[in-house]
Short mmCIF file of all heavy atoms in Angstrom, two decimals:
data_model
loop_
_atom_site.label_atom_id
_atom_site.label_comp_id
_atom_site.label_asym_id
_atom_site.label_seq_id
_atom_site.Cartn_x
_atom_site.Cartn_y
_atom_site.Cartn_z
N LEU J 26 -8.94 0.93 1.94
CA LEU J 26 -7.83 1.22 2.84
C LEU J 26 -7.53 0.03 3.73
O LEU J 26 -6.36 -0.32 3.97
CB LEU J 26 -8.16 2.46 3.68
CG LEU J 26 -6.98 3.19 4.31
CD1 LEU J 26 -6.06 3.76 3.25
CD2 LEU J 26 -7.47 4.30 5.22
N ALA J 27 -8.58 -0.63 4.22
CA ALA J 27 -8.39 -1.80 5.08
C ALA J 27 -7.69 -2.92 4.33
O ALA J 27 -6.77 -3.56 4.86
CB ALA J 27 -9.74 -2.26 5.62
N LYS J 28 -8.11 -3.17 3.10
CA LYS J 28 -7.51 -4.23 2.29
C LYS J 28 -6.07 -3.90 1.95
O LYS J 28 -5.18 -4.77 1.98
CB LYS J 28 -8.34 -4.43 1.02
CG LYS J 28 -7.87 -5.60 0.16
CD LYS J 28 -8.10 -6.93 0.85
CE LYS J 28 -7.75 -8.09 -0.06
NZ LYS J 28 -7.90 -9.39 0.62
N LEU J 29 -5.82 -2.66 1.60
CA LEU J 29 -4.47 -2.24 1.26
C LEU J 29 -3.53 -2.43 2.45
O LEU J 29 -2.41 -2.94 2.30
CB LEU J 29 -4.47 -0.78 0.81
CG LEU J 29 -3.12 -0.20 0.36
CD1 LEU J 29 -2.57 -0.95 -0.84
CD2 LEU J 29 -3.28 1.29 0.03
N ALA J 30 -3.98 -2.01 3.63
CA ALA J 30 -3.16 -2.17 4.84
C ALA J 30 -2.87 -3.64 5.09
O ALA J 30 -1.74 -4.03 5.44
CB ALA J 30 -3.87 -1.54 6.03
N GLN J 31 -3.89 -4.48 4.91
CA GLN J 31 -3.72 -5.92 5.12
C GLN J 31 -2.72 -6.50 4.13
O GLN J 31 -1.89 -7.34 4.48
CB GLN J 31 -5.08 -6.61 4.99
CG GLN J 31 -5.05 -8.11 5.24
CD GLN J 31 -6.41 -8.74 5.04
OE1 GLN J 31 -7.23 -8.26 4.26
NE2 GLN J 31 -6.66 -9.82 5.74
N GLN J 32 -2.78 -6.05 2.89
CA GLN J 32 -1.90 -6.59 1.85
C GLN J 32 -0.43 -6.33 2.14
O GLN J 32 0.44 -7.14 1.79
CB GLN J 32 -2.29 -6.02 0.48
CG GLN J 32 -3.56 -6.62 -0.09
CD GLN J 32 -3.92 -5.99 -1.43
OE1 GLN J 32 -3.79 -4.79 -1.62
NE2 GLN J 32 -4.36 -6.81 -2.37
N VAL J 33 -0.13 -5.20 2.76
CA VAL J 33 1.28 -4.85 3.01
C VAL J 33 1.69 -5.10 4.46
O VAL J 33 2.84 -4.84 4.83
CB VAL J 33 1.57 -3.38 2.62
CG1 VAL J 33 1.33 -3.17 1.15
CG2 VAL J 33 0.75 -2.40 3.46
N GLY J 34 0.77 -5.60 5.29
CA GLY J 34 1.13 -5.96 6.65
C GLY J 34 1.28 -4.81 7.61
O GLY J 34 2.09 -4.87 8.55
N LEU J 35 0.49 -3.73 7.41
CA LEU J 35 0.50 -2.59 8.33
C LEU J 35 -0.90 -2.37 8.87
O LEU J 35 -1.89 -2.76 8.24
CB LEU J 35 0.96 -1.31 7.61
CG LEU J 35 2.44 -1.17 7.28
CD1 LEU J 35 2.66 0.08 6.43
CD2 LEU J 35 3.28 -1.09 8.55
N SER J 36 -1.00 -1.73 10.02
CA SER J 36 -2.31 -1.27 10.48
C SER J 36 -2.73 -0.08 9.64
O SER J 36 -1.90 0.58 9.00
CB SER J 36 -2.25 -0.87 11.96
OG SER J 36 -1.51 0.32 12.12
N GLU J 37 -4.01 0.21 9.61
CA GLU J 37 -4.51 1.33 8.80
C GLU J 37 -3.97 2.67 9.27
O GLU J 37 -3.66 3.55 8.46
CB GLU J 37 -6.04 1.33 8.80
CG GLU J 37 -6.62 0.12 8.11
CD GLU J 37 -8.13 0.05 8.29
OE1 GLU J 37 -8.81 1.01 7.90
OE2 GLU J 37 -8.60 -0.97 8.82
N ILE J 38 -3.85 2.82 10.58
CA ILE J 38 -3.34 4.09 11.10
C ILE J 38 -1.87 4.27 10.71
O ILE J 38 -1.45 5.35 10.31
CB ILE J 38 -3.52 4.15 12.63
CG1 ILE J 38 -5.01 4.37 12.97
CG2 ILE J 38 -2.67 5.26 13.25
CD1 ILE J 38 -5.32 4.44 14.44
N ARG J 39 -1.08 3.20 10.79
CA ARG J 39 0.33 3.31 10.41
C ARG J 39 0.49 3.51 8.90
O ARG J 39 1.40 4.21 8.45
CB ARG J 39 1.10 2.08 10.89
CG ARG J 39 1.30 2.09 12.40
CD ARG J 39 1.99 0.83 12.89
NE ARG J 39 3.40 0.80 12.54
CZ ARG J 39 4.36 1.50 13.14
NH1 ARG J 39 4.04 2.36 14.11
NH2 ARG J 39 5.61 1.38 12.79
N LEU J 40 -0.42 2.92 8.13
CA LEU J 40 -0.39 3.15 6.69
C LEU J 40 -0.70 4.61 6.38
O LEU J 40 -0.01 5.26 5.58
CB LEU J 40 -1.40 2.23 5.99
CG LEU J 40 -1.55 2.42 4.48
CD1 LEU J 40 -0.25 2.08 3.76
CD2 LEU J 40 -2.71 1.57 3.95
N THR J 41 -1.74 5.14 7.01
CA THR J 41 -2.12 6.54 6.80
C THR J 41 -0.99 7.47 7.22
O THR J 41 -0.63 8.42 6.51
CB THR J 41 -3.39 6.87 7.60
OG1 THR J 41 -4.45 6.01 7.17
CG2 THR J 41 -3.81 8.31 7.41
N ARG J 42 -0.41 7.19 8.38
CA ARG J 42 0.69 8.02 8.89
C ARG J 42 1.91 7.93 7.97
O ARG J 42 2.59 8.92 7.69
CB ARG J 42 1.05 7.55 10.30
CG ARG J 42 2.10 8.40 11.01
CD ARG J 42 2.40 7.80 12.37
NE ARG J 42 1.22 7.80 13.21
CZ ARG J 42 1.07 7.02 14.27
NH1 ARG J 42 2.00 6.14 14.59
NH2 ARG J 42 -0.03 7.10 15.01
N GLY J 43 2.17 6.72 7.47
CA GLY J 43 3.33 6.52 6.60
C GLY J 43 3.23 7.28 5.30
O GLY J 43 4.23 7.81 4.79
N PHE J 44 2.02 7.34 4.71
CA PHE J 44 1.84 8.12 3.48
C PHE J 44 2.07 9.60 3.75
O PHE J 44 2.67 10.31 2.94
CB PHE J 44 0.44 7.89 2.91
CG PHE J 44 0.42 6.91 1.77
CD1 PHE J 44 0.54 5.55 2.01
CD2 PHE J 44 0.32 7.34 0.46
CE1 PHE J 44 0.54 4.64 0.96
CE2 PHE J 44 0.33 6.45 -0.60
CZ PHE J 44 0.44 5.09 -0.35
N ARG J 45 1.61 10.05 4.91
CA ARG J 45 1.81 11.46 5.25
C ARG J 45 3.30 11.76 5.40
O ARG J 45 3.80 12.80 4.94
CB ARG J 45 1.07 11.77 6.55
CG ARG J 45 1.30 13.18 7.10
CD ARG J 45 0.77 14.25 6.20
NE ARG J 45 -0.68 14.30 6.19
CZ ARG J 45 -1.37 15.14 5.45
NH1 ARG J 45 -0.75 15.98 4.63
NH2 ARG J 45 -2.69 15.14 5.47
N GLN J 46 4.05 10.86 6.02
CA GLN J 46 5.47 11.09 6.25
C GLN J 46 6.29 10.98 4.97
O GLN J 46 7.19 11.80 4.73
CB GLN J 46 6.01 10.06 7.26
CG GLN J 46 5.54 10.29 8.68
CD GLN J 46 5.93 9.16 9.61
OE1 GLN J 46 5.30 8.93 10.61
NE2 GLN J 46 7.00 8.46 9.29
N ASN J 47 5.99 9.99 4.12
CA ASN J 47 6.82 9.73 2.96
C ASN J 47 6.40 10.49 1.71
O ASN J 47 7.23 10.79 0.85
CB ASN J 47 6.84 8.23 2.66
CG ASN J 47 7.65 7.45 3.67
OD1 ASN J 47 8.87 7.34 3.55
ND2 ASN J 47 7.00 6.92 4.69
N PHE J 48 5.09 10.79 1.59
CA PHE J 48 4.60 11.46 0.38
C PHE J 48 3.92 12.79 0.67
O PHE J 48 3.40 13.44 -0.23
CB PHE J 48 3.64 10.54 -0.37
CG PHE J 48 4.22 9.18 -0.69
CD1 PHE J 48 3.64 8.02 -0.19
CD2 PHE J 48 5.37 9.07 -1.46
CE1 PHE J 48 4.18 6.78 -0.46
CE2 PHE J 48 5.92 7.83 -1.74
CZ PHE J 48 5.32 6.67 -1.24
N ASN J 49 3.89 13.16 1.96
CA ASN J 49 3.33 14.44 2.39
C ASN J 49 1.88 14.60 1.98
O ASN J 49 1.42 15.70 1.65
CB ASN J 49 4.16 15.62 1.85
CG ASN J 49 3.88 16.91 2.60
OD1 ASN J 49 3.61 16.89 3.80
ND2 ASN J 49 3.93 18.03 1.92
N THR J 50 1.14 13.49 1.99
CA THR J 50 -0.28 13.54 1.64
C THR J 50 -0.96 12.27 2.14
O THR J 50 -0.29 11.37 2.66
CB THR J 50 -0.47 13.68 0.11
OG1 THR J 50 -1.84 13.92 -0.19
CG2 THR J 50 -0.01 12.42 -0.63
N THR J 51 -2.28 12.21 1.99
CA THR J 51 -3.02 11.02 2.41
C THR J 51 -3.01 9.97 1.30
O THR J 51 -2.66 10.26 0.15
CB THR J 51 -4.47 11.37 2.75
OG1 THR J 51 -5.12 11.82 1.54
CG2 THR J 51 -4.55 12.47 3.80
N VAL J 52 -3.44 8.76 1.66
CA VAL J 52 -3.52 7.69 0.67
C VAL J 52 -4.45 8.09 -0.46
O VAL J 52 -4.11 7.96 -1.65
CB VAL J 52 -4.02 6.38 1.33
CG1 VAL J 52 -4.18 5.28 0.29
CG2 VAL J 52 -3.06 5.94 2.43
N PHE J 53 -5.62 8.60 -0.12
CA PHE J 53 -6.58 8.98 -1.16
C PHE J 53 -6.05 10.10 -2.03
O PHE J 53 -6.15 10.05 -3.25
CB PHE J 53 -7.91 9.40 -0.54
CG PHE J 53 -8.90 9.86 -1.58
CD1 PHE J 53 -9.74 8.96 -2.21
CD2 PHE J 53 -8.97 11.19 -1.96
CE1 PHE J 53 -10.62 9.37 -3.19
CE2 PHE J 53 -9.86 11.62 -2.94
CZ PHE J 53 -10.69 10.70 -3.55
N ASN J 54 -5.50 11.14 -1.41
CA ASN J 54 -5.01 12.27 -2.21
C ASN J 54 -3.87 11.85 -3.14
O ASN J 54 -3.75 12.36 -4.26
CB ASN J 54 -4.56 13.41 -1.30
CG ASN J 54 -5.73 14.18 -0.73
OD1 ASN J 54 -6.85 14.07 -1.20
ND2 ASN J 54 -5.48 14.93 0.33
N TYR J 55 -3.03 10.94 -2.67
CA TYR J 55 -1.96 10.44 -3.53
C TYR J 55 -2.55 9.73 -4.75
O TYR J 55 -2.14 9.98 -5.89
CB TYR J 55 -1.06 9.48 -2.75
CG TYR J 55 0.15 9.02 -3.55
CD1 TYR J 55 1.33 9.75 -3.50
CD2 TYR J 55 0.09 7.90 -4.36
CE1 TYR J 55 2.44 9.36 -4.24
CE2 TYR J 55 1.19 7.50 -5.11
CZ TYR J 55 2.36 8.23 -5.05
OH TYR J 55 3.44 7.84 -5.80
N LEU J 56 -3.53 8.85 -4.50
CA LEU J 56 -4.17 8.14 -5.60
C LEU J 56 -4.85 9.12 -6.56
O LEU J 56 -4.74 9.00 -7.78
CB LEU J 56 -5.20 7.15 -5.05
CG LEU J 56 -6.07 6.42 -6.07
CD1 LEU J 56 -5.22 5.57 -7.00
CD2 LEU J 56 -7.11 5.56 -5.36
N HIS J 57 -5.55 10.10 -5.99
CA HIS J 57 -6.25 11.09 -6.82
C HIS J 57 -5.27 11.85 -7.71
O HIS J 57 -5.51 12.02 -8.92
CB HIS J 57 -7.01 12.05 -5.92
CG HIS J 57 -7.66 13.18 -6.67
ND1 HIS J 57 -8.75 13.01 -7.48
CD2 HIS J 57 -7.34 14.51 -6.73
CE1 HIS J 57 -9.09 14.17 -8.02
NE2 HIS J 57 -8.25 15.09 -7.58
N ASP J 58 -4.16 12.32 -7.13
CA ASP J 58 -3.18 13.08 -7.91
C ASP J 58 -2.58 12.22 -9.02
O ASP J 58 -2.38 12.70 -10.16
CB ASP J 58 -2.06 13.59 -7.00
CG ASP J 58 -2.52 14.74 -6.12
OD1 ASP J 58 -3.59 15.32 -6.42
OD2 ASP J 58 -1.84 15.04 -5.12
N GLN J 59 -2.29 10.96 -8.72
CA GLN J 59 -1.72 10.08 -9.73
C GLN J 59 -2.72 9.78 -10.84
O GLN J 59 -2.35 9.65 -12.02
CB GLN J 59 -1.23 8.78 -9.07
CG GLN J 59 -0.06 8.97 -8.12
CD GLN J 59 1.14 9.60 -8.81
OE1 GLN J 59 1.54 9.18 -9.89
NE2 GLN J 59 1.72 10.61 -8.17
N ARG J 60 -3.99 9.66 -10.49
CA ARG J 60 -5.03 9.47 -11.51
C ARG J 60 -5.06 10.66 -12.46
O ARG J 60 -5.18 10.50 -13.68
CB ARG J 60 -6.40 9.29 -10.84
CG ARG J 60 -6.67 7.89 -10.31
CD ARG J 60 -7.97 7.87 -9.54
NE ARG J 60 -8.49 6.52 -9.40
CZ ARG J 60 -9.56 6.21 -8.67
NH1 ARG J 60 -10.21 7.16 -8.02
NH2 ARG J 60 -9.98 4.96 -8.60
N MET J 61 -4.99 11.86 -11.90
CA MET J 61 -5.05 13.05 -12.74
C MET J 61 -3.81 13.17 -13.62
O MET J 61 -3.90 13.56 -14.79
CB MET J 61 -5.19 14.31 -11.86
CG MET J 61 -6.52 14.40 -11.10
SD MET J 61 -7.97 14.46 -12.21
CE MET J 61 -8.55 12.76 -12.12
N GLU J 62 -2.64 12.82 -13.07
CA GLU J 62 -1.42 12.86 -13.88
C GLU J 62 -1.51 11.84 -15.01
O GLU J 62 -1.09 12.11 -16.15
CB GLU J 62 -0.20 12.58 -13.00
CG GLU J 62 0.10 13.65 -11.97
CD GLU J 62 0.44 14.99 -12.61
OE1 GLU J 62 0.93 15.00 -13.77
OE2 GLU J 62 0.24 16.03 -11.96
N ARG J 63 -2.03 10.65 -14.70
CA ARG J 63 -2.19 9.63 -15.73
C ARG J 63 -3.18 10.08 -16.80
O ARG J 63 -2.96 9.87 -18.01
CB ARG J 63 -2.69 8.33 -15.08
CG ARG J 63 -2.97 7.18 -16.05
CD ARG J 63 -1.75 6.79 -16.82
NE ARG J 63 -2.00 5.63 -17.67
CZ ARG J 63 -1.26 5.30 -18.71
NH1 ARG J 63 -0.20 6.03 -19.03
NH2 ARG J 63 -1.56 4.24 -19.43
#
């Protein structure tokens, strides 16, 4: 999560909040769901 936030130029809290706002889930849950769909 720290590396991902750094790569896109956001703080970790804003990254976490942004996933909740835009995808209605956490970063991990989004990744998990996409893994299962794949």
